[in-house]
């Protein structure tokens, strides 16, 4: 197996982007990533595109071919990858494995979703839950995560304010990110007094409905200096599954696919949670950010709420969590999120993150989750500062 490095990254602005079509978004991200890698289109050997549900949001399937054509990259192989909100993380993983195996040399991993073209995004998003046992009974993702929040509060005494604190952190960091959907700060009071969505979660606990795309170029680590002065090395790429439906889980306060993928990732990288300087975690709802910082081993189970309250996950805290603003403030165009998370860690490690720069970071971890954790994808990235 060959070591793999990231040599190019890009992200479109996330938000309600009426003036841009599905294909415009992903082509823009792809071209920017190729430029960032100092490559030309003809250098790319293959591409993997994360997309959750183009069929339901914009009526478009056969996305690999569409993107290859509109980015001018035919006839290279172009493959769509789908695992709900973890589609982007898995597309990146496919690209990494293709290079590691020696099958291809320079591969693009992209992710895209255009969610705002439908009047109500909720039924399309609910297709990522268990159709028969959850979605058809009227259960939605806000309500599934609301149950997890209630159980966390019951088992560990986590307060409503601590959960809201995760959304406040996202907006604080997002306010410094020019590509974020929401570039404004919010308060705990604002979260607690915002419109009720599924008790105890309010609208300001939720990631928004978003349009956007992101792209990454990977190549063999020993060739990376041909394309960039600052390669970002892939130290681990792991994936795990858990039950798609929540009722079949032993616990509602932990996500077993995260635990499994994280253990594999730390073993693969020969690193521990304490070695991580920052993390981009999947806070589709504020409670999921809180659960993620426990499941990734940054804090003991049940202590995530206190860590948020104590400021331990701020940019200058013990570990900088979601310096991009996370799904809450950067936005969550489902298929693009896993790619955008790794792009953010790359900018941070290259020290190109502008006002939201985390100082002295040399390693970071991403956690991209599909549904309520039916799929989890984790990447650990590091930079060589000599
Ligand atoms: N955070 C902050 N502000 C939000 C927001 C969010 N999550 N969602 C909407 N808003 C704002 C809008 O910008 C708009 O502001 P404006 O009036 O100043 O323009 C206002 O709230 C109303 O927006 P609207 O689009 O009518 O909200 P909505 O009620 O249709 O949607 C949610 C709100 C929470 C239902 C929707 O954001 C949602 O479904 N989020 C979860 C997405 C999801 O499930 N992703 C997958 C996770 S597994």
């Amino acid at each position: 197996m060959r070591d793999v490095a990231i040599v190019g990254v890009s992200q479109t602005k996330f938000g309600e982007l009426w003036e841009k079509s599905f294909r415009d978004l992903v082509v823009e991200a792809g071209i920017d990533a190729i430029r960032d890698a100092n490559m030309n289109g003809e250098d790319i050997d293959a591409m993997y595109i994360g997309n959750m549900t183009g069929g339901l949001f914009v009526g478009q399937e056969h996305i690999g071919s569409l993107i290859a054509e509109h980015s001018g990259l035919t006839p290279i192989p172009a493959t769509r990858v789908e695992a709900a909100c973890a589609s982007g993380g898995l597309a990146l993983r496919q690209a990494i494995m293709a290079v590691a195996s020696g099958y291809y040399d320079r591969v693009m991993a992209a992710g895209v979703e255009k969610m705002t073209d439908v009047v109500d995004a909720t039924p399309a998003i609910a297709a990522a839950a268990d159709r028969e046992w959850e979605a058809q009974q009227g259960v939605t993702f806000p309500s599934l995560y609301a149950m997890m929040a209630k159980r966390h509060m019951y088992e560990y005494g986590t307060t409503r304010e601590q959960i809201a604190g995760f959304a406040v952190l996202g907006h604080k960091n997002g306010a410094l990110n020019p590509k974020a959907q929401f570039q404004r700060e919010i308060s705990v009071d604002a979260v607690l007094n915002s419109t009720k969505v599924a008790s105890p979660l309010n609208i300001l606990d939720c990631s928004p409905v978003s349009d956007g795309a992101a792209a990454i170029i990977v190549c063999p680590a020993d060739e990376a200096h041909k394309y960039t002065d600052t390669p970002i090395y892939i130290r681990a790429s792991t994936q795990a599954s858990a039950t798609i439906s929540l009722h079949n889980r032993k616990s509602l306060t932990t996500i077993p696919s995260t635990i499994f993928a994280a253990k594999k990732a730390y073993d693969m990288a020969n690193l521990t949670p304490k070695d991580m300087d920052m993390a981009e975690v999947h806070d589709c709802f504020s409670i999921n950010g809180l659960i993620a910082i426990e499941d990734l081993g940054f804090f003991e189970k049940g202590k995530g709420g206190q860590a948020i309250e104590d400021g331990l996950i701020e940019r200058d805290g013990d570990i900088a969590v979601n310096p991009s603003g996370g799904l809450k403030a950067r936005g969550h165009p489902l298929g693009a999120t896993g790619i955008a998370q790794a792009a953010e860690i790359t900018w941070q490690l290259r020290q190109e993150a502008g006002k939201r720069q985390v100082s002295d970071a040399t390693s970071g971890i991403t956690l991209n989750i599909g549904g309520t954790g039916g799929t989890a994808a984790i990447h650990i990235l590091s930079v060589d500062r000599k």
Side-chain angles (χ1 to χ4, degrees):
M1 294 270 271
R2 302 190 290 183
D3 288 336
V4 180
I6 293 176
V7 292
V9 291
S10 74
Q11 185 211 302
T12 67
K13 186 172 179 326
F14 286 179
E16 285 187 50
L17 307 175
W18 302 113
E19 70 288 2
K20 288 185 182 164
S21 70
F22 180 90
R23 67 187 71 182
D24 291 344
L25 286 167
V26 67
V27 169
E28 177 185 324
I31 289 173
D32 285 352
I34 291 170
R35 280 204 195 109
D36 190 52
N38 295 304
M39 289 182 186
N40 296 309
E42 49 273 23
D43 293 322
I44 303 296
D45 296 326
M47 61 164 106
Y48 295 89
I49 299 141
N51 173 253
M52 178 186 143
T53 186
L56 292 177
F57 283 129
V58 291
Q60 179 70 58
E61 306 286 10
H62 204 178
I63 281 154
S65 161
L66 177 89
I67 305 308
E69 179 192 350
H70 286 278
S71 52
L73 292 183
T74 50
I76 68 163
T79 308
R80 175 196 181 166
V81 180
E82 189 277 312
C85 307
S87 301
L90 294 205
L92 176 58
R93 189 168 144 71
Q94 292 304 312
I96 291 166
M97 291 193 297
V99 173
S101 69
Y103 216 99
Y104 299 120
D105 286 328
R106 292 160 302 271
V107 178
M108 179 187 295
V112 60
E113 210 76 52
K114 176 111 181 98
M115 300 170 71
T116 64
D117 282 4
V118 291
V119 176
D120 183 7
T122 303
I125 299 171
D130 186 316
R131 192 85 206 152
E132 283 184 31
W133 291 354
E134 291 178 331
Q136 279 181 1
Q137 316 306 322
V139 178
T140 60
F141 277 106
S143 64
L144 289 165
Y145 276 104
M147 288 189 254
M148 295 164 84
K150 285 213 156 166
R151 191 70 201 177
H152 207 285
M153 294 166 83
Y154 173 77
E155 282 182 27
Y156 299 109
T158 301
T159 66
R160 183 64 189 85
E161 287 77 8
Q162 290 170 342
I163 296 173
F166 203 95
V168 172
L169 171 86
H171 274 253
K172 188 173 172 187
N173 290 337
L176 303 175
N177 182 353
K179 290 178 191 272
Q181 182 158 351
F182 297 122
Q183 297 172 35
R184 62 182 161 85
E185 295 201 28
I186 57 173
S187 63
V188 167
D189 274 354
V191 179
L192 299 186
N193 293 315
S194 60
T195 308
K196 182 83 46 212
V197 174
S199 179
L201 301 178
N202 294 347
I203 192 168
L204 289 180
D205 289 287
C206 305
S207 59
V209 169
S210 315
D211 304 329
I216 285 180
I217 313 287
V218 291
C219 76
D222 59 7
E223 290 176 22
H225 277 286
K226 281 205 299 207
Y227 306 109
T228 177
D229 291 338
T230 323
I232 301 303
Y233 297 101
I234 308 283
R235 302 290 302 275
S237 173
T238 61
Q239 175 187 341
S241 319
T243 62
I244 188 170
S245 52
L246 203 56
H247 66 268
N248 270 339
R249 302 263 176 90
K250 286 200 178 87
S251 164
L252 294 189
T253 56
T254 185
I255 293 187
S257 52
T258 302
I259 302 272
F260 186 84
K263 181 176 182 332
K264 291 258 177 211
Y266 292 130
D267 286 352
M268 189 182 276
N270 203 16
L271 294 169
T272 71
K274 287 204 179 346
D275 296 315
M276 298 297 111
D277 297 314
M278 62 188 158
E280 281 284 316
V281 306
H282 198 96
D283 60 322
C284 49
F285 299 94
S286 49
I287 182 61
N288 203 23
L290 191 159
I291 289 174
I293 59 175
E294 297 174 344
D295 285 349
L296 288 171
F298 306 148
F299 305 101
E300 253 177 68
K301 185 48 70 187
K303 298 281 191 328
Q306 196 59 51
I308 295 168
E309 191 178 323
D310 293 345
L312 303 185
I313 60 169
E314 304 268 338
R315 269 177 296 121
D316 58 356
D318 287 3
I319 176 160
V321 175
N322 288 5
S324 69
L327 283 59
K328 174 70 202 76
R330 181 188 51 214
H332 182 28
L334 315 174
T337 285
I339 304 285
Q341 291 176 321
E344 174 68 11
I345 299 283
T346 300
W347 282 313
Q348 291 283 352
L349 293 176
R350 287 177 179 175
Q351 302 194 302
E352 292 174 359
K355 290 183 182 163
R356 62 186 192 283
Q357 182 67 50
V358 176
S359 50
D360 302 327
T362 57
S363 60
I365 186 168
T366 63
L367 168 63
N368 189 200
I369 284 178
T372 50
T375 302
I378 291 187
H379 289 93
I380 296 180
L381 312 182
S382 73
V383 70
D384 219 357
R385 282 200 222 290
K386 283 192 185 135

